[in-house]
Amino acid sequence: MFLNTLLLALREIRRNLMRSFLTILGIVIGVAAVITMVTLGNGATRAVAEQISSLGSNLLILRPGQRLGPGRDGVSVPRFRIADAEAISAQIASLQAVAPVVNSGATLVAGNENWSSAINGTTNDYLVAGNWTLATGRPFSEDEEKLGRAVCIIGETVRAKLFSQQNPIGSPLRVKNFSCEIIGLLASKGQGAMGMDQDDMVMIPIRTAQRRFTGNQNVSTIMVSMKDGADSARVIAQIGDLMRERRKLADHEEDNFNIQDTKQIAQTLSGAIGTLTTMFGAVAAVSLLVGGIGIMNIMLVSVTERTREIGIRLAIGALEHEVLLQFLIEAVALSAFGGLVGIILALIACPFLANLMQVPFLFDPSINFLSFGFSAAIGVIFGYMPARKAASLDPIEALRHE
Amino acid sequence: MSVSEAPTDMDNAEGGVAPTGTAAFLIEFQGITKTYGQGQTAFLALRGVDLRIRPGEFLAIMGPSGSGKSTAMNILGCLDTPSAGAYLFQGTHVEHLDRNQRALLRRHYLGFVFQGFNLLARTSAQENVELPLLYRGEAPEKRHQAARAALALVGLSGWEHHTSAELSGGQQQRVAIARAIVTQPLVLLADEPTGNLDSKRSHEIMELLVRLNQEQQITVLMVTHEPDMAKYANRIVHFVDGVVSSDSGEETPACS
Ligand SMILES: Nc1ncnc2c1ncn2[C@@H]1O[C@H](COP(=O)(O)OP(=O)(O)O)[C@@H](O)[C@H]1O
Ligand SMILES: [Mg+2]
């Protein structure tokens, strides 16, 4: 009996291809939207999570100026010095590493190849603070750091661009206007979040950077890595007090520096992305619901259109529940098919969009199952009401319907 | 499941009645009344109809418009229930059957032909005729064969795959008749089957009904207001204002 009804329902779908197509369109778009939104959102969240772990744990970044970002406080704000970093390291407890950093950029030349990259003048502490390990070679020696020798440690991207296959250790690298010896190669961290290449970087001793590039004693930022389990709020307060003291700020004056807790920022960011994912997912879910209402509408219209037909079926002996089942199967088959097409569309679009947005493509079976189940459920719910209306009609009334 | 059990129940009911020999009549109306609406607007469409029909009769129901012919026909065909009175089908009371039981009765014993043909749109003649068999759960091969045979019987061999839009009115009514008889029903009910046809097609349809009545021993109940068509029947019942005003001969068995 069920098979027969299935046959009837499928015949009905085949006989009304255009109507069937319009019916499932809403579901197709809804399901594809939900899956795409959630998949891309998951990818973005994963990208941020990866960046959090690549940042190293419990990292604080000190910058001059009140606010985050450049500009606002102008050049009048006093910069940090290497001595500030040394003071933090000496006076604050539960720290792992304190790395003063001079940021710069330069064109690198090795042999016939050249490449523009970021230059970080810093100390070995940068390796700890930035969670870097050396693939080969060695870190800076004490002498090299103190005296500002012309040595450098290069990132994987720099090696790949300038040295292709060969081992770069011991090779000379021309950085802007001076030549330095490559003593180390950083292990690759790969692509950071939002397409930022963390491996595109050269480390040189901070005094080398100050002498050769900036020509002053300034430090751009100080990276402070806390020990695991350190109370970051307390450490931030202590560093803040120390810096106010060193900068001779009176009680009524505001801080002229800021301390960023990167982990907190990253968490806030991933929280925000999570919220966005949920929101977009919800918007997409609404479109799925609208698709379901579309199914209900078309089913209702088709009931009206088919009232006579239902009358005929009832007159020749169809039972109420058979007509009900037929409509139900029609609705479920349509919305399940729409769900499948939606999943296929999403699976075609997602890798492409993920690549475009430079986030990883994470196939999430649960959202696929969920939206498929949801579309089938929409078919059942929205198919049921019109089916009820159709099946409960009086055959004479239905036949008389114009 | 009630669907598969119900026909068996029905068969048992008949089995229990038939041997007693009281079911000399296929159909028996005893004081059937039908009221539409309630209270002030209530309308008495049938006011106590008595009618007895033997197996094999070809009965024409005539009468002025609004006299209750269709109402009586709907009750005869178990599409509707009477407000009062008794309806015995093969000696079994069927006036109190519920929706589904009536549907099963129709499915197994009755065939319908309507004035407006009522074929499924965009559907081939073959599929239209197979429809009742589908609800009876017949196997595909049997369905196809029976439908082809029924279409051949109404003279539509070779038209199996035409949809209603591709058939003339007369041909559509033939498909409808094929659909009604494909289940080999006991009774064929036709409410103004020639109402939408010109006179030549009308006569062809009537000849077909006579042939089915005589060759297939199907009892035919037909509503018509054309005396020309009623002549094909072997018994004519006149309705006026919801009662039988004249009956051309209940006691003359048709096929003897
Ligand atoms: N569903 C209904 N509701 C109310 N009145 C009805 C209904 N069906 C028929 N009638 C009335 O019952 C009377 C008999 O109708 P019907 O049996 O269709 O007559 P006929 O077929 O002889 O022309 C008519 O007056 C009609 O208006
Ligand atoms: Mg009528």
Side-chain angles (χ1 to χ4, degrees):
Chain A
M1 203 278 292
F2 181 79
L3 266 177
N4 275 334
T5 315
L6 184 72
L7 189 69
L8 281 171
L10 294 183
R11 266 188 197 175
E12 212 46 55
I13 290 173
R14 196 195 57 198
R15 195 155 43 223
N16 300 289
L17 273 184
M18 187 61 191
R19 192 178 71 200
S20 307
F21 168 75
L22 289 177
T23 307
I24 66 168
L25 197 59
I27 289 291
V28 170
I29 293 171
V31 167
V34 168
I35 294 178
T36 307
M37 291 292 179
V38 173
T39 303
L40 293 180
N42 285 345
T45 311
R46 162 73 69 89
V48 170
E50 273 168 3
Q51 204 178 29
I52 295 171
S53 61
S54 78
L55 275 174
S57 53
N58 303 321
L59 186 68
L60 304 179
I61 297 177
L62 277 71
R63 287 195 174 85
Q66 266 179 9
R67 296 283 169 85
L68 294 181
R72 190 185 176 285
D73 301 283
V75 280
S76 63
V77 175
R79 307 283 138 175
F80 290 115
R81 298 292 168 95
I82 293 174
D84 290 317
E86 286 168 355
I88 293 171
S89 181
Q91 294 178 35
I92 312 286
S94 63
L95 298 185
Q96 223 175 355
V98 181
V101 184
V102 172
N103 300 117
S104 183
T107 302
L108 311 170
V109 183
N112 293 327
E113 308 288 334
N114 65 73
W115 178 248
S116 285
S117 183
I119 312 294
N120 288 331
T122 185
T123 65
N124 283 331
D125 269 13
Y126 185 84
L127 298 173
V128 179
N131 216 14
W132 289 102
T133 51
L134 287 170
T136 55
R138 59 172 179 84
F140 303 130
S141 72
E142 209 172 308
D143 252 19
E144 286 162 350
E145 285 194 339
K146 244 186 208 126
L147 301 173
R149 298 272 198 227
V151 289
C152 62
I153 299 169
I154 63 172
E156 172 57 25
T157 303
V158 174
R159 186 206 62 77
K161 294 290 178 189
L162 297 180
F163 296 95
S164 55
Q165 303 303 322
Q166 94 214 46
N167 179 3
I169 305 295
S171 302
L173 176 68
R174 196 165 177 79
V175 182
K176 207 172 184 177
N177 52 6
F178 72 101
S179 180
C180 61
E181 182 198 343
I182 298 172
I183 59 166
L185 172 66
L186 296 169
S188 172
K189 276 195 189 181
Q191 192 125 311
M194 313 308 160
M196 197 181 71
D197 183 1
Q198 304 179 89
D199 296 328
D200 190 5
M201 182 263 280
V202 174
M203 271 174 75
I204 58 176
I206 187 164
R207 288 192 168 82
T208 314
Q210 288 176 333
R211 223 177 38 237
R212 306 269 189 166
F213 282 115
T214 59
N216 58 40
Q217 301 292 299
N218 293 341
V219 167
S220 318
T221 59
I222 298 174
M223 292 170 69
V224 177
S225 166
M226 295 176 284
K227 287 191 174 131
D228 280 343
D231 177 354
S232 64
R234 234 188 66 200
V235 173
I236 288 170
Q238 287 172 347
I239 294 176
D241 288 345
L242 180 62
M243 287 298 115
R244 288 183 68 87
E245 193 184 303
R246 290 180 62 83
R247 290 169 162 244
K248 304 194 171 57
L249 293 176
D251 283 349
H252 63 88
E253 286 177 290
E254 283 183 50
D255 288 353
N256 57 4
F257 61 92
N258 65 74
I259 304 172
Q260 259 176 261
D261 186 341
T262 53
K263 194 164 194 187
Q264 204 177 340
I265 290 171
Q267 274 164 354
T268 311
L269 192 60
S270 75
I273 289 180
T275 311
L276 277 180
T277 304
T278 312
M279 203 185 79
F280 284 135
V283 170
V286 168
S287 75
L288 188 54
L289 197 69
V290 170
I293 292 170
I295 284 203
M296 184 178 68
N297 270 334
I298 291 185
M299 284 292 164
L300 268 173
V301 168
S302 83
V303 167
T304 313
E305 276 174 6
R306 287 155 62 183
T307 304
R308 279 179 79 96
E309 175 186 329
I310 288 156
I312 297 166
R313 290 179 189 277
L314 292 173
I316 64 174
L319 297 174
E320 183 169 338
H321 77 257
E322 287 171 331
V323 176
L324 191 84
L325 197 63
Q326 180 193 331
F327 271 65
L328 217 64
I329 291 174
E330 248 185 84
V332 174
L334 279 180
S335 48
F337 180 71
L340 266 184
V341 175
I343 287 177
I344 291 168
L345 274 188
L347 291 186
I348 291 171
C350 276
F352 175 75
L353 289 175
N355 188 30
L356 208 68
M357 287 169 60
Q358 305 205 305
V359 299
F361 166 61
L362 301 174
F363 177 72
D364 181 353
S366 64
I367 188 63
N368 285 276
F369 271 117
L370 198 73
S371 47
F372 181 80
F374 189 66
S375 66
I378 280 180
V380 175
I381 295 164
F382 292 150
Y384 185 70
M385 285 188 282
R388 282 267 317 228
K389 190 184 163 198
S392 65
L393 287 173
D394 193 355
I396 309 165
E397 286 301 316
L399 278 173
R400 202 179 283 146
H401 196 89
E402 291 304 321
Chain B
M1 224 177 170
S2 62
V3 201
S4 46
E5 286 163 12
T8 332
D9 289 347
M10 206 95 66
D11 290 340
N12 288 344
E14 286 156 26
V17 172
T20 64
T22 56
F25 298 104
L26 177 61
I27 282 169
E28 206 168 343
F29 263 25
Q30 298 172 349
I32 291 286
T33 69
K34 179 70 183 177
T35 314
Y36 288 117
Q38 279 173 344
Q40 289 280 316
T41 59
F43 181 81
L44 204 54
L46 295 180
R47 322 164 172 258
V49 174
D50 296 305
L51 193 62
R52 291 189 288 184
I53 302 165
R54 292 177 191 276
E57 284 196 75
F58 187 154
L59 181 118
I61 297 175
M62 298 193 73
S65 182
S67 57
K69 305 184 295 290
S70 292
T71 304
M73 202 65 169
N74 290 339
I75 295 172
L76 280 168
C78 287
L79 288 166
D80 206 354
T81 47
S83 304
Y87 175 10
L88 288 91
F89 187 84
Q90 290 195 315
T92 306
H93 281 273
V94 295
E95 67 271 16
H96 297 307
L97 295 184
D98 69 18
R99 245 175 101 79
N100 282 340
Q101 290 171 316
R102 277 183 282 129
L104 289 171
L105 195 79
R106 294 197 295 271
R107 176 186 292 188
H108 289 275
Y109 303 107
L110 309 176
F112 291 89
V113 175
F114 306 93
Q115 179 176 355
F117 318 141
N118 282 335
L119 299 178
L120 296 189
R122 301 184 291 281
T123 307
S124 71
Q126 173 89 15
E127 277 181 292
N128 264 297
V129 176
E130 279 186 29
L131 197 61
L133 299 173
L134 248 152
Y135 284 115
R136 284 168 65 131
E138 305 284 9
E141 202 38 54
K142 197 169 170 212
R143 279 205 313 265
H144 302 329
Q145 259 173 17
R148 269 196 300 274
L151 281 167
L153 201 59
V154 300
L156 281 180
S157 285
W159 295 85
E160 286 88 353
H161 300 292
H162 290 69
T163 64
S164 352
E166 297 161 356
L167 297 172
S168 72
Q171 285 173 322
Q172 286 184 56
Q173 196 59 303
R174 285 164 184 275
V175 174
I177 292 170
R179 183 182 63 190
I181 60 160
V182 73
T183 57
Q184 299 181 312
L186 291 176
V187 187
L188 178 67
L189 298 106
D191 194 344
E192 306 203 30
T194 59
N196 286 7
L197 300 176
D198 62 40
S199 114
K200 184 157 183 285
R201 304 298 148 220
S202 296
H203 284 285
E204 285 170 11
I205 292 294
M206 295 318 297
E207 279 153 21
L208 176 58
L209 291 183
V210 169
R211 196 151 56 78
L212 292 172
N213 174 245
Q214 290 177 352
E215 291 173 10
Q216 312 284 315
Q217 278 79 49
I218 299 174
T219 305
V220 179
L221 309 183
M222 174 185 75
V223 169
T224 184
H225 53 241
E226 296 168 82
D228 274 1
M229 302 303 135
K231 276 184 203 146
Y232 287 91
N234 41 38
R235 177 177 167 196
I236 300 177
V237 172
H238 273 273
F239 271 62
V240 174
D241 279 341
V243 289
V244 175
S245 67
S246 75
D247 189 336
S248 77
E250 180 192 319
E251 303 312 325
T252 335
C255 290
S256 59

